[in-house]
Amino acid sequence: MVFLFTIAVLMAMASIPSSRAFHIPAALSVRGNTRPSTAELQHKASLFYPTTSSSPSSSALGMATWSNGQAIQEYQDFLATGKSELDKADDGPSIIVQSSNPSNIIPLTDAINGLGRGDDVILTPNEPLPQSLGGRPSYPIYITLPPYELKEFIENLNDEWKARAEDFVFFSGTRVCGVVEPVLRKFGMCRDSMTQVVIGFTLPPPNSGLGGATRKPEDMACNIGADAMGEEKWAGESQACGKWNGAVASRLDSNGIRCKTVFYREWRRAMWERALYDAVWNVIGAVREEETDHADVAMFFDMEASDMMWELVNGLRGGLAVTLIYGFEDRLFSIAEMRGKDEPCELSDEMFDYLQNVFPGKCQMLLEYCNYAKDTRGLLKGAKVPPVPSQLSELPSLVKQGNLRADGVI
């Protein structure tokens, strides 16, 4: 009995995650000549998936996670559909919506058009919609507007476009599209029926191909081996949910781009996983004095990236009831190592609110880097970067006065 009790205690101690010391920009690490092995990089996510933060506020965070009823509501909504499999529609002629401002037309417009069959129609917001396309009264309407135009676009929809809102297809991911969930949620457009896509393909700029043409997008999905069941594991693949998920997948598959069709709840996890990559890799690399690409961040600044990711992940769990799929750290490092060479780390004033300033919680390490980028490196000059939160200033006033009782009685 004593032997068994000792074994149990040792196993419990081994399961406790070690504390994570956050790096701050004042002590930015420098390039070294070595880096941890791949096995070591699978460290934190592969050995155990911590359920609480090692910070002093971990217990409060855990309470916030379980008190958020959003995940339960989404699951109830899913059960209410009575569907265990996705409805899939075929690809065909579609509408592609681009900005009416020529300077705001993003590479996504050419990418979606280039992946089609040459029968798509490109419109600007509120132009008359055709009654049918290719003999179909209903067709996908790809919204390829920059994120900072989405709110105005939805607010100013005319009646004709409002009636077709169920056919809209929205995009997330990469430095071009970022996170648009906060905008869509304000208008009730984050739900199972709404088509949304996580981008897992390149977005070539105009005139990047032969003869001045735009190159076709290429798949960015990474095969990272097999799981315990022998099934292939993938990182960075495109994912689609909603009414037109099948049409999106068909369009991408026909061009050699892997696309997974999923329900909204699973898609949302994939979207925030991609958001994690776009935010962390770009900010950690952009503050360096020397040019740094995504592969460099994975090679030389892996501990900083890992620490920042775990901080943001804990905020997602507590603030949005989003828990990323096990192994996210390994997948994101694989994307950087396999696809990140010559992918520059950049910060954009216009995209700051859709790439970095979108995560719930204090985001202390992320904000330390963003403020360092603005104050010291001269980046994000036009962005409103929130100040680094102070743990003391965020405590309830009674706590600061030394009263630890919730009822206010001394």
Side-chain angles (χ1 to χ4, degrees):
M1 291 295 291
V2 174
F3 174 75
L4 293 176
F5 175 76
T6 303
I7 294 298
V9 171
L10 291 175
M11 292 178 65
M13 293 176 62
S15 66
I16 300 175
S18 60
S19 61
R20 310 180 60 80
F22 290 157
H23 300 266
I24 61 175
L28 292 176
S29 58
V30 297
R31 295 179 187 271
N33 296 321
T34 61
R35 62 154 296 166
S37 66
T38 301
E40 291 172 329
L41 272 184
Q42 294 172 348
H43 45 328
K44 308 150 184 114
S46 301
L47 293 176
F48 38 71
Y49 193 95
T51 57
T52 60
S53 168
S54 59
S55 67
S57 60
S58 60
S59 60
L61 181 60
M63 292 172 63
T65 301
W66 291 110
S67 64
N68 190 323
Q70 183 175 331
I72 298 175
Q73 183 61 52
E74 289 176 355
Y75 184 61
Q76 290 175 340
D77 293 341
F78 164 69
L79 294 178
T81 65
K83 297 178 181 179
S84 59
E85 295 184 0
L86 292 164
D87 294 330
K88 294 186 178 181
D90 293 331
D91 188 24
S94 306
I95 296 294
I96 300 175
V97 183
Q98 70 176 12
S99 176
S100 56
N101 182 348
S103 63
N104 286 347
I105 296 176
I106 57 178
L108 180 63
T109 302
D110 282 343
I112 297 301
N113 189 39
L115 294 172
R117 304 169 182 172
D119 49 8
D120 294 325
V121 178
I122 298 179
L123 300 176
T124 56
N126 287 335
E127 283 193 89
L129 293 169
Q131 293 295 319
S132 64
L133 276 179
R136 299 189 302 176
S138 181
Y139 44 80
I141 302 176
Y142 292 99
I143 310 300
T144 64
L145 301 172
Y148 41 85
E149 287 190 2
L150 270 184
K151 181 180 179 181
E152 182 180 0
F153 162 71
I154 299 174
E155 286 178 337
N156 296 317
L157 288 174
N158 60 32
D159 292 339
E160 180 187 20
W161 282 65
K162 286 180 180 177
R164 302 301 297 270
E166 288 290 333
D167 294 317
F168 290 172
V169 180
F170 294 102
F171 294 86
S172 298
T174 75
R175 291 196 304 268
V176 173
C177 295
V179 176
V180 298
E181 177 177 295
V183 177
L184 300 184
R185 188 167 295 281
K186 291 180 181 178
F187 300 96
M189 291 186 170
C190 289
R191 55 183 187 271
D192 282 317
S193 60
M194 186 60 64
T195 308
Q196 298 191 69
V197 183
V198 175
I199 297 175
F201 49 86
T202 60
L203 298 174
N207 307 318
S208 56
L210 296 175
T214 300
R215 291 188 293 109
K216 274 198 171 187
E218 299 176 2
D219 192 14
M220 294 293 286
C222 308
N223 187 325
I224 58 175
D227 59 20
M229 303 298 294
E231 298 289 334
E232 290 184 333
K233 295 193 299 183
W234 292 86
E237 61 186 334
S238 300
Q239 299 199 31
C241 69
K243 176 180 178 179
W244 292 107
N245 67 83
V248 173
S250 176
R251 178 169 293 222
L252 298 183
D253 289 343
S254 63
N255 287 275
I257 298 174
R258 182 180 179 84
C259 182
K260 184 178 180 181
T261 56
V262 295
F263 285 105
Y264 171 67
R265 292 175 301 114
E266 184 177 352
W267 177 90
R268 191 172 182 232
R269 292 190 182 98
M271 183 273 291
W272 279 110
E273 182 173 311
R274 177 69 204 200
L276 204 65
Y277 179 85
D278 294 332
V280 171
W281 256 258
N282 282 297
V283 73
I284 287 180
V287 298
R288 311 295 160 180
E289 294 184 359
E290 66 276 23
E291 291 187 5
T292 305
D293 61 27
H294 287 200
D296 290 332
V297 173
M299 180 70 70
F300 302 108
F301 311 115
D302 55 297
M303 290 304 298
E304 295 173 57
S306 181
D307 285 344
M308 190 180 294
M309 282 194 295
W310 280 105
E311 181 186 62
L312 298 178
V313 164
N314 284 334
L316 287 174
R317 292 163 59 207
L320 296 178
V322 173
T323 301
L324 301 190
I325 300 298
Y326 174 83
F328 72 89
E329 194 175 22
D330 184 32
R331 290 191 294 273
L332 297 186
F333 271 102
S334 296
I335 294 172
E337 291 169 345
M338 300 173 69
R339 306 296 189 203
K341 186 64 177 174
D342 298 325
E343 180 71 20
C345 298
E346 298 175 345
L347 293 176
S348 164
D349 292 4
E350 291 179 321
M351 290 299 295
F352 174 72
D353 286 334
Y354 305 93
L355 289 174
Q356 281 78 34
N357 195 27
V358 292
F359 291 88
K362 293 193 302 181
C363 307
Q364 182 154 343
M365 187 177 181
L366 174 62
L367 289 179
E368 285 173 349
Y369 274 71
C370 291
N371 278 275
Y372 178 84
K374 184 180 180 73
D375 299 338
T376 304
R377 301 293 299 142
L379 305 172
L380 298 175
K381 292 183 178 179
K384 295 181 179 180
V385 180
V388 178
S390 168
Q391 292 184 353
L392 182 61
S393 65
E394 292 195 351
L395 291 173
S397 58
L398 289 177
V399 174
K400 287 189 288 184
Q401 296 170 13
N403 181 12
L404 301 181
R405 291 189 54 161
D407 57 8
V409 178
I410 301 296

